[in-house]
Amino acid sequence: MGEDTTARAEQNIDDAQLRVTKPRTHATGWPAIRQSLVMGEEEMGAVRTMRTLLDINQTRGFDCMSCAWPDPDPKRRSPAEFCESGAKAVAEEATKQRATPEFFAAHSIAELETWDDFALGKQGRITHPMLLEAGDTHYRPVTWDRAIAIVKEELQKLESPDEAVFYTSGRASNEAAFTYGLFARSFGTNNLPDCSNMCHESTSIGLAQVMGVGKASVSLTDLEHADLILIAGQNPGTNAPRMLTRLENAKKNGGRIVAINPLREAGLLHFDNPQSVKGLVFRGTQLADEFLQIKLAGDQALFQALGATLIELDAERGGTVLDHDFIARYTSGFEDYRDHVARLDWAEVERATGLPEAQIRRLAGMIADAKSMIICWAMGITQHVNGVATIRDMASVAWLTGNVGRPGAGLMPVRGHSNVQGDRTVGIWEKMPDAFHDRLSEEFSFTSPKEHGYDTVKALQAMRDGKVKVFMGLGGNYTRATPDTERTEASMRELDLTVQISTKPNRSHVVHGKRALILPCLGRTERDVQATGPQRVSVEDTVLAVHESHGHLEPASPHLRSEVAIICGIAEAVLEGRENSAQVDWSALKDDYRLIRKHIEHVVDGFQAYEEKLDVPGGFVLPHPPRDKREFPTKTGKAMFTVNELEYPEIPEDGLVLQTLRSHDQFNTTIYGKEDRYRGIHDARRVVLMNRKEMVKRGLHEGDVVDLVSTDADGVERRAVGWRAVPYRMPSGNAAAYFPEANVLLPLHHTAKESNSPAAKAVVIRVEVPARSEAPVPAAV
Ligand SMILES: Nc1nc2c(c(=O)[nH]1)N[C@H]1C(S)=C(S)[C@@H](COP(=O)(O)OP(=O)(O)OC[C@H]3O[C@@H](n4cnc5c(=O)[nH]c(N)nc54)[C@H](O)[C@@H]3O)O[C@H]1N2
Ligand SMILES: Nc1nc2c(c(=O)[nH]1)N[C@H]1C(S)=C(S)[C@@H](COP(=O)(O)OP(=O)(O)OC[C@H]3O[C@@H](n4cnc5c(=O)[nH]c(N)nc54)[C@H](O)[C@@H]3O)O[C@H]1N2
Ligand SMILES: [Mo]
C-alpha cells in the first residue's frame, strides 16, 4: 500500500474550478495567436516578445524548442514561422522571472516539495549554480569551481563507472550531446538513458528492424504531395501545430487524410490557418476525410486487417492493388506475412479495435486507390506494450503498396523534443552499435566501452536496487517524466548525488540525492559567446534536416554557462589523470564548437563538410538509404515483412484502460496553465476523461471526485486520489488523464516489448468513488 506522494503537492491545487465546455472541432485561428502574444507579453514584455518570436525558425535565428517539426525551404519560410505552442515555449524560456539565490533561501526543500509543477516552473530562470549539502534544508549558491569539484569527488568515489547515470533530454544540441556522450564513455559507461527511451524508442527499434533506418523516410514536400495521409496516435493540433499547415497544403493538392485516434482531436478534424487570410475569414480547411475512433492499442489489429484486406482486394482486382514489382525486388518475408494475415479473425479485430469491419474495408479501399501514401504516428502508437510490433505491421502495409522511397510516400514518425533525433544520431544511446564505438575510440585514442548501459527504465530499476549512486541530467525532468512516481522518487532520494543541468526549477531539483547540484545553463534563445567568439549549435528535425541555431537574447544571468561549457568543465576535471581517458582538449572544444563538429564529422556518417553545410540557409539533409535509393540495410538487405502475433489489452469487467497524454497547455512536465482548450477542459488538470456510459455505469456525474487505482498484477497498489471525472467521446472501456500527474499509476515494469518504453498509453485502472464523499446519485442518461 502506498501513499501518492506527489499527490500531496497536487492536492494543494484547487481543481474545483473545473469548467467543461463542448470539445472543439476546429484547430487554431485567432485564439491561438492571441494566446501566444498574451503569454509572451506576460513573461517577456511586448518588444522582446515580438523580436524573439520573429527570430524563431528563421535561417539566422534559433530553432524552436517546442517540437521536432521541420522548417520549410528557406524561400518558402513565413516571417512568422512559429505556432502557439512554440510561442509559449519561447515565453517560458525568455521569461523575465528569476529563481535567484534569494528565492532558494526563502523556500526550504520541505516547502518546495508541496509545490506543483506549475508553481515551480513559474519561478523563472535559475541564475546561479546551487548546492544542497547533505542534511541541508535549503539550496545555497555555490561557485562553478566548487560545483565541479563536488561532481568529481562523488564520481571518483564510485566502485565502478556503471554506478553513474547520465540522462539526456532531447533539447540538447548536437554539440552538447556529442560531448556529453564522449564524457560518459571516457568515464567508462554507456549508462546514457534519454527521453527517447520514453518517446519514439519503439519507432527506432521497429523501423530499424524492418526498414534498416529508425527515422522518417519522407520530406515535407512528400507530405504535401501525398495522395493519402494516415495519422495514427498523434495530436498535431497541440503537439506539432505547424504540421497542420502542411496538411492543409496536402488537401489543396488533392490529398486525403485519415485520422486514427480514440479521441476526436480538433487538430485532426479542421484547421483554420491563422497565417492565411482564408483561415481567418472563411471556414478554413477540413482535414480528416475519414475518422477511425479506435480503441487504445487496437492499431496492430487494424494494420493487420488492412494488410489482409489489401491482399484480398488485389486478388479481386486482378493484381492491380499490390505493388508486385516492389515486393519482388525490394522485400523479404512476403509469403509468411500473407499466410499469417490470411488467418486473421475479424471478430478479434473488432474486439481489439472497436471499429466496424466495413470501416476498415473502406480504409483499405482508400489505400488501394491512392497513388501514394504516408503514415504518420507519435505517442499513441509507441507507448504501448505492442508498440514495436504495431510499427512493423504498419510498415508491412507500406511495403504491400510500395509506399517507400518514392515521391509522396513513406513512413513518418513525428518526433517530439526538438533535437531528440539529433542527440541519438550523435551518440546518445545506451546501446550504440559497435561501429560507433570503434570510430569514437579511433578519433580520441581510447577504448570506448561496448557493453550496453541502462535505458530510462533500467536505470530506475538499478537505482531501486542500490546499483547507482550518481545521477546527472542534461536537461529534462527525470523524476517527473518517468513512471511509477512514488517508487521513482524514493529511488532518487537514495542516491549520493543528483546533478541537474537546467534552465528552470522543476521537481527533479526538489526530489534529490543526499547531495544535489543545480547547474544553470543558457537556453536556445540566448547568445552563447565563448573565448573564440559567438557560437552556434546545430539540431536535426524529424525529417533528418540538420541546421544551425543561435539565440540573440542577453543571457538570463551572467553566471550561466552553456551546456557545452558545463560538460567540458566537468569532463576536464573528472577525467584528468584517469586511466583510458579519451584524448580530448576539453577546454578547446568549449572555446570553439567548430572543433566539436569536426569530431562529429569524423565519427558519424553523413556529416562531411558539416561546418560548410551549416552555412547554407536551411542546412542539409542526412542520408537515408530507403528514402534515397530504396536500399534497406536490414538483416535480409530488404524491406522486411514480418509475422507478428496480435496483441491488445484485455479490459477487465470493472476496469478501464487509461492513456496518459498532454493537454494543450503544457510542454511535457512544464505546465503552462490549466487550459485544454480544444478538448473543452478548463481550469483543472486532475481530470479523468471517460466514455459517458462508463460514467453512468459507475453512477458518476461530471465533476465528481474519484480515486484512480492501477490494478497491475505485481501486488503493489498504485493509487492516485482526487480526480474529477468528465464524460468525453471515446470508445467505452478507455479513459484519459494528463501526464505527468497520472504517472503515479504507471508500474515501472509496464513497458513496450523490445523497446522497453513505458507503456504510458494503456494502464489498466479501476475508478473508485472515495468513501469520504457523499454517495452519488446515479446519472440520468
Ligand atoms: N505543445 C506541446 N508540444 C509538444 C509536447 C508538449 O508536451 N506540448 N511534447 C513534445 C513531445 S516530447 C512529444 S513526444 C510529442 C507528443 O505528441 P503526441 O504523440 O501527439 O502527444 P500525446 O499527447 O501523448 O498524444 C497522443 C495522441 O495519441 C492518441 N492515442 C493514444 N493511444 C492511442 C492508440 O492506442 N491508438 C491511436 N491510434 N491513438 C492513440 C491520443 O488520443 C492522442 O491524440 O509532442 C511534442 N510537442
Ligand atoms: N505518463 C507519461 N509519461 C511520459 C510521457 C507520456 O506521454 N505519458 N511522455 C514521455 C515523453 S514522449 C518524453 S519526451 C518525456 C520527457 O521527459 P523530459 O525531457 O525529461 O522532460 P521535460 O518536461 O521535457 O523537461 C523539462 C525541463 O527541462 C529543463 N530545460 C528546459 N530547457 C532547457 C535547456 O535548454 N537546457 C537544459 N539543460 N534544460 C532545459 C527545464 O528545467 C525543464 O524543467 O516524458 C515521457 N513521459
Ligand atoms: Mo517525447
Side-chain angles (χ1 to χ4, degrees), residues 195-196 198-200 379 383 415-417 420 662 668:
C195 70
S196 196
M198 302 181 264
C199 188
H200 265 292
M379 297 304 100
Q383 297 178 335
R415 280 198 156 77
H417 259 300
V420 61
R662 290 151 175 82
N668 298 340

Side-chain angles (χ1 to χ4, degrees), residues 322-623:
L322 303 187
D323 187 337
H324 292 281
D325 180 53
F326 178 81
I327 294 172
R329 281 177 63 185
Y330 296 105
T331 70
S332 65
F334 172 67
E335 285 78 16
D336 289 344
Y337 171 80
R338 183 194 55 203
D339 297 348
H340 178 67
V341 293
R343 290 193 294 271
L344 202 73
D345 172 1
W346 276 93
E348 191 166 25
V349 171
E350 280 203 48
R351 209 159 45 241
T353 61
L355 300 171
E357 183 177 334
Q359 195 181 24
I360 298 178
R361 289 192 180 277
R362 198 158 61 234
L363 175 55
M366 289 171 82
I367 298 173
D369 294 339
K371 290 191 274 300
S372 62
M373 171 180 72
I374 288 178
I375 310 177
C376 304
W377 71 91
M379 297 304 100
I381 299 296
T382 61
Q383 297 178 335
H384 279 297
V385 173
N386 65 356
V388 178
T390 302
I391 287 158
R392 285 195 296 256
D393 278 327
M394 290 197 312
S396 288
V397 171
W399 306 161
L400 283 176
T401 42
N403 273 303
V404 66
R406 61 183 174 89
L411 296 165
M412 187 172 193
V414 178
R415 280 198 156 77
H417 259 300
S418 50
N419 196 37
V420 61
Q421 188 161 308
D423 291 348
R424 197 43 87 74
T425 304
V426 301
I428 300 298
W429 200 20
E430 75 283 356
K431 45 180 181 229
M432 282 302 279
D434 287 356
F436 172 85
H437 291 290
D438 291 339
R439 285 165 79 165
L440 199 68
S441 302
E442 192 182 330
E443 177 76 2
F444 297 103
S445 315
F446 80 122
T447 308
S448 180
K450 289 183 177 166
E451 196 184 327
H452 294 175
Y454 300 135
D455 62 19
T456 290
V457 165
K458 285 184 184 154
L460 282 166
Q461 286 160 340
M463 286 180 201
R464 180 196 62 199
D465 300 340
K467 292 184 192 150
V468 174
K469 304 272 191 293
V470 174
F471 172 92
M472 189 183 298
L474 175 57
N477 187 0
Y478 189 73
T479 9
R480 209 60 185 125
T482 47
D484 230 344
T485 312
E486 207 182 308
R487 266 148 292 279
T488 291
E489 293 198 346
S491 302
M492 296 302 288
R493 291 181 206 280
E494 288 300 313
L495 301 174
D496 289 341
L497 175 70
T498 47
V499 184
Q500 308 286 351
I501 300 172
S502 315
T503 50
K504 303 184 80 177
N506 64 40
R507 195 159 174 90
S508 300
H509 305 136
V510 178
V511 177
H512 53 81
K514 294 187 184 99
R515 298 169 102 182
L517 282 165
I518 305 174
L519 305 180
C521 64
L522 296 173
R524 288 247 179 104
T525 52
E526 290 163 333
R527 258 200 303 278
D528 181 353
V529 182
Q530 304 295 338
T532 61
Q535 305 294 319
R536 60 178 171 184
V537 294
S538 47
V539 293
E540 175 185 341
D541 65 31
T542 203
V543 294
L544 296 84
V546 179
H547 61 86
E548 67 165 19
S549 169
H550 50 208
H552 293 146
L553 292 181
E554 188 66 32
S557 143
H559 307 288
L560 303 185
R561 289 189 178 175
S562 74
E563 293 179 338
V564 169
I566 295 172
I567 297 158
C568 290
I570 292 176
E572 188 164 38
V574 172
L575 301 174
E576 192 201 328
R578 226 179 130 83
E579 231 174 90
N580 182 40
S581 273
Q583 299 303 303
V584 187
D585 183 348
W586 294 99
S587 88
L589 298 189
K590 168 187 72 102
D591 291 346
D592 187 351
Y593 300 177
R594 284 174 302 184
L595 301 178
I596 305 176
R597 288 188 284 271
K598 241 320 150 225
H599 288 304
I600 295 177
E601 187 174 326
H602 297 161
V603 174
V604 188
D605 282 335
F607 285 88
Q608 294 81 2
Y610 195 176
E611 203 63 44
E612 295 73 34
K613 285 190 197 152
L614 282 185
D615 289 337
V616 179
F620 62 103
V621 178
L622 289 171

Side-chain angles (χ1 to χ4, degrees), residues 235 239 260-261 265 297 299 379 384 662 666 668 761:
N235 180 20
N239 297 314
I260 303 163
N261 202 303
E265 308 282 25
D299 305 79
M379 297 304 100
H384 279 297
R662 290 151 175 82
Q666 71 184 84
N668 298 340
K761 296 287 190 271

